[in-house]
Amino acid sequence: MMALARAVAFRLLVAALLAYLLFPFYYAVITSMKGGSAIFSVDYWPSQIDFSNYARIFSEQPFALNMLNSVLVAFAVVALSLLLGLTAAFSLGRIRFRGRNALLFAVLAVSMFPQVAVLSGMFELVRAFGLYNSLLSLVFSYMIFTLPFTVWVLTSFMRELPHEIEEAAIMDGAGPWTLVVRIFLPLLWPAMVTTGLLAFIVAWNEFLFALTFILSNEQRTVPVAIALITGGSEFELPWGGIMAASVTVTLPLIVLVLVFQRRLVAGLTAGAVKG
Amino acid sequence: MAAAAHDSLTRARVRTAWLFLAPMLLVLAIVALWPLARTLLLSLTDASLGNAGAARFVGFENYLVKEDGVWYGLLADPLWWLALRNTLTFAFVSVAAEVVLGTLIALILNARFRFRGMMRAAVLVPWAIPTVVSAKMWAWMLHDQFGIVNDLLLRLGLIGAPLAWLANADLALWSVIAVDVWKTTPFVALLVLAALQMLPEDCYEAARVDGIHPVKVFFFVTLPLIRPALIVAVIFRFLDAMRVFDLVYVMTGNADATLTLSVHARQILVDFQDAGSGSAASVLLFVVIALLSVLCLLAMRGEVLGRRQ
């Protein structure tokens, strides 16, 4: 009897947690499919299936362009941070030299920088390079978030590889670049996928720099576009459109995260648990 | 001879190391060190955002200055102190809640039951949703007229009239904290789960054989063992929560009730175009976080030493 009661209580607890975790997104989905005045009534179950909100964000706003901007920025950020992170991780993970730990620590310290602390200096720099209102300003400035953890995670993976691997290659006269590209890159693919995904998510979600360095609607990335959606008039509730936009940008991300679940969790916890 | 050859080989490898580090270090210097240094410098001037060229050096006037017997500057501004209080409240309360809830979720995920796979996937959902999107989703759910939260609480009879969760100054900060807890608890849960999975089976075996109550086992066996992971999670989350911006800005804008140090600094810098004072606010936030980081590091070192003894 006790065992049964306990099992039921446990099930209820799991169900409550699932509802807590998933309900907000579910509610966004059903809200996004409400047209006209249906938005004014609170419904717990899908009351209608109407895609006019989705049609509207793409026709009345440059939302497709915003998505494209986000994709471009995110891919460029991933490529650049993986390239820089991999070469740096080779030095930090495979070669002993003085100041190595101090450098790793300095890189970690950068990840503790509050974003706003570099905002005015970064703004000046973006202006000076002529990147104001250009997507390049975002690719450039996002390095401050993605480089520290890319370098850390890749370095920790690089260190775990056995020594014999490169010794044989060095005997064969392989230069350092060959070593990185031919030997380490193939071995580090799992780590590259994990860090690449994390960098992608960071770039896809970033808000403050995108809000500050981009001026025109057509150059905006998705988070800023969503934050700035307003109704056509004072009396129109913009929530249908906002939820449609939210669901559109979140679905691919959720799919990505669920597909790469194990890798992501390994990457997220790698630094913290080993460190 | 062999030693000399080895020496030159080592030297060549060290040279390679720096060569391969150079691009990353250069980029990091340009995007992190230089802007930080410029922010520091700008905070000592009366620069405006559009035109830093005509700036005049004003010393610490943006921070604190006494003129005709009256104190001016950020440190004399009650709004800055309010922002500091809001930020600390936000960070302490949200991290405390996240650690308790995150540990609970991790314990559940570590148990064996039928829907475990589904539950693990579900935990990742709030984490994967962009902050701006979570802010908007919850702002809609907390809407004072048409929000589902008010509707639910009214139906359950827990409130008598709809509440303005985000407009009411007494509720707004708590609402934002609740949303942050929803969004970031999964991260803490995953860290704790990773620690739980590395625990040795045998002490649990022994505890079960001795018939010790599971709650007791948790407090006397599990908790001490996952303490290091918990401390890491707390430090990560706390330093992160201290710089909160997106969530607050999207949910409540620049409202006083939820004004945090980051939101306040951006407001001065961008909305008021005051690069001098805005940079000073940014520097103050940096100093607050740096001090807290040092404190955390000292606490962590104490922890490590304590464990060794």
Side-chain angles (χ1 to χ4, degrees), chain B residues 227 298-309:
Chain B
R227 223 178 112 108
L298 288 177
M300 210 150 72
R301 176 179 285 182
E303 178 72 17
V304 171
L305 286 177
R307 265 193 298 152
R308 275 202 195 132
Q309 276 161 9

Short mmCIF file of all heavy atoms in Angstrom, two decimals, chain B residues 227 298-309:
data_model
loop_
_atom_site.label_atom_id
_atom_site.label_comp_id
_atom_site.label_asym_id
_atom_site.label_seq_id
_atom_site.Cartn_x
_atom_site.Cartn_y
_atom_site.Cartn_z
N ARG B 227 28.62 18.38 -3.23
CA ARG B 227 28.90 19.75 -2.83
C ARG B 227 29.80 20.50 -3.80
O ARG B 227 29.48 21.63 -4.18
CB ARG B 227 29.55 19.73 -1.45
CG ARG B 227 29.04 20.79 -0.51
CD ARG B 227 29.75 20.60 0.80
NE ARG B 227 30.62 21.75 1.00
CZ ARG B 227 30.35 22.68 1.91
NH1 ARG B 227 29.32 22.59 2.67
NH2 ARG B 227 31.17 23.71 2.04
N LEU B 298 38.03 32.76 -3.58
CA LEU B 298 38.55 32.50 -2.23
C LEU B 298 37.73 31.43 -1.54
O LEU B 298 38.27 30.53 -0.91
CB LEU B 298 38.54 33.79 -1.41
CG LEU B 298 39.60 34.83 -1.80
CD1 LEU B 298 39.44 36.10 -0.97
CD2 LEU B 298 41.00 34.25 -1.64
N ALA B 299 36.41 31.52 -1.69
CA ALA B 299 35.54 30.53 -1.07
C ALA B 299 35.84 29.15 -1.63
O ALA B 299 35.89 28.16 -0.91
CB ALA B 299 34.07 30.90 -1.31
N MET B 300 36.05 29.10 -2.96
CA MET B 300 36.31 27.82 -3.60
C MET B 300 37.64 27.25 -3.14
O MET B 300 37.76 26.07 -2.88
CB MET B 300 36.31 27.99 -5.11
CG MET B 300 35.85 26.75 -5.80
SD MET B 300 35.03 27.01 -7.35
CE MET B 300 36.29 27.47 -8.46
N ARG B 301 38.64 28.12 -3.03
CA ARG B 301 39.95 27.66 -2.57
C ARG B 301 39.85 27.11 -1.16
O ARG B 301 40.38 26.05 -0.84
CB ARG B 301 40.96 28.82 -2.63
CG ARG B 301 42.30 28.44 -2.09
CD ARG B 301 43.27 29.60 -2.18
NE ARG B 301 43.71 29.82 -3.54
CZ ARG B 301 44.60 30.77 -3.86
NH1 ARG B 301 45.05 31.57 -2.96
NH2 ARG B 301 44.99 30.91 -5.10
N GLY B 302 39.10 27.82 -0.31
CA GLY B 302 38.88 27.35 1.06
C GLY B 302 38.24 25.98 1.05
O GLY B 302 38.63 25.08 1.80
N GLU B 303 37.29 25.81 0.13
CA GLU B 303 36.59 24.53 0.00
C GLU B 303 37.56 23.42 -0.35
O GLU B 303 37.58 22.36 0.25
CB GLU B 303 35.53 24.69 -1.10
CG GLU B 303 34.75 23.44 -1.40
CD GLU B 303 33.78 23.11 -0.29
OE1 GLU B 303 33.49 23.99 0.55
OE2 GLU B 303 33.34 21.97 -0.26
N VAL B 304 38.43 23.69 -1.36
CA VAL B 304 39.39 22.68 -1.81
C VAL B 304 40.35 22.33 -0.69
O VAL B 304 40.61 21.16 -0.39
CB VAL B 304 40.16 23.18 -3.05
CG1 VAL B 304 41.29 22.22 -3.38
CG2 VAL B 304 39.21 23.30 -4.24
N LEU B 305 40.88 23.37 0.00
CA LEU B 305 41.81 23.12 1.09
C LEU B 305 41.14 22.34 2.20
O LEU B 305 41.69 21.41 2.76
CB LEU B 305 42.33 24.46 1.65
CG LEU B 305 43.34 25.17 0.75
CD1 LEU B 305 43.73 26.51 1.37
CD2 LEU B 305 44.57 24.31 0.54
N GLY B 306 39.88 22.72 2.50
CA GLY B 306 39.13 22.05 3.54
C GLY B 306 38.98 20.56 3.27
O GLY B 306 39.08 19.74 4.15
N ARG B 307 38.78 20.24 1.97
CA ARG B 307 38.58 18.84 1.62
C ARG B 307 39.87 18.05 1.74
O ARG B 307 39.88 16.87 2.01
CB ARG B 307 38.03 18.73 0.20
CG ARG B 307 36.51 18.61 0.20
CD ARG B 307 36.02 18.19 -1.15
NE ARG B 307 36.36 19.20 -2.14
CZ ARG B 307 36.56 18.92 -3.42
NH1 ARG B 307 36.50 17.69 -3.83
NH2 ARG B 307 36.85 19.88 -4.26
N ARG B 308 41.01 18.75 1.44
CA ARG B 308 42.29 18.03 1.48
C ARG B 308 42.67 17.64 2.89
O ARG B 308 43.33 16.65 3.10
CB ARG B 308 43.38 18.92 0.88
CG ARG B 308 43.39 18.78 -0.63
CD ARG B 308 44.71 19.17 -1.21
NE ARG B 308 44.55 19.33 -2.64
CZ ARG B 308 44.99 20.39 -3.30
NH1 ARG B 308 45.64 21.34 -2.67
NH2 ARG B 308 44.82 20.48 -4.58
N GLN B 309 42.28 18.50 3.88
CA GLN B 309 42.74 18.24 5.24
C GLN B 309 42.03 17.06 5.89
O GLN B 309 40.91 16.77 5.61
CB GLN B 309 42.52 19.49 6.09
CG GLN B 309 43.69 20.45 5.91
CD GLN B 309 43.33 21.85 6.34
OE1 GLN B 309 42.29 22.08 6.91
NE2 GLN B 309 44.19 22.81 6.05
#
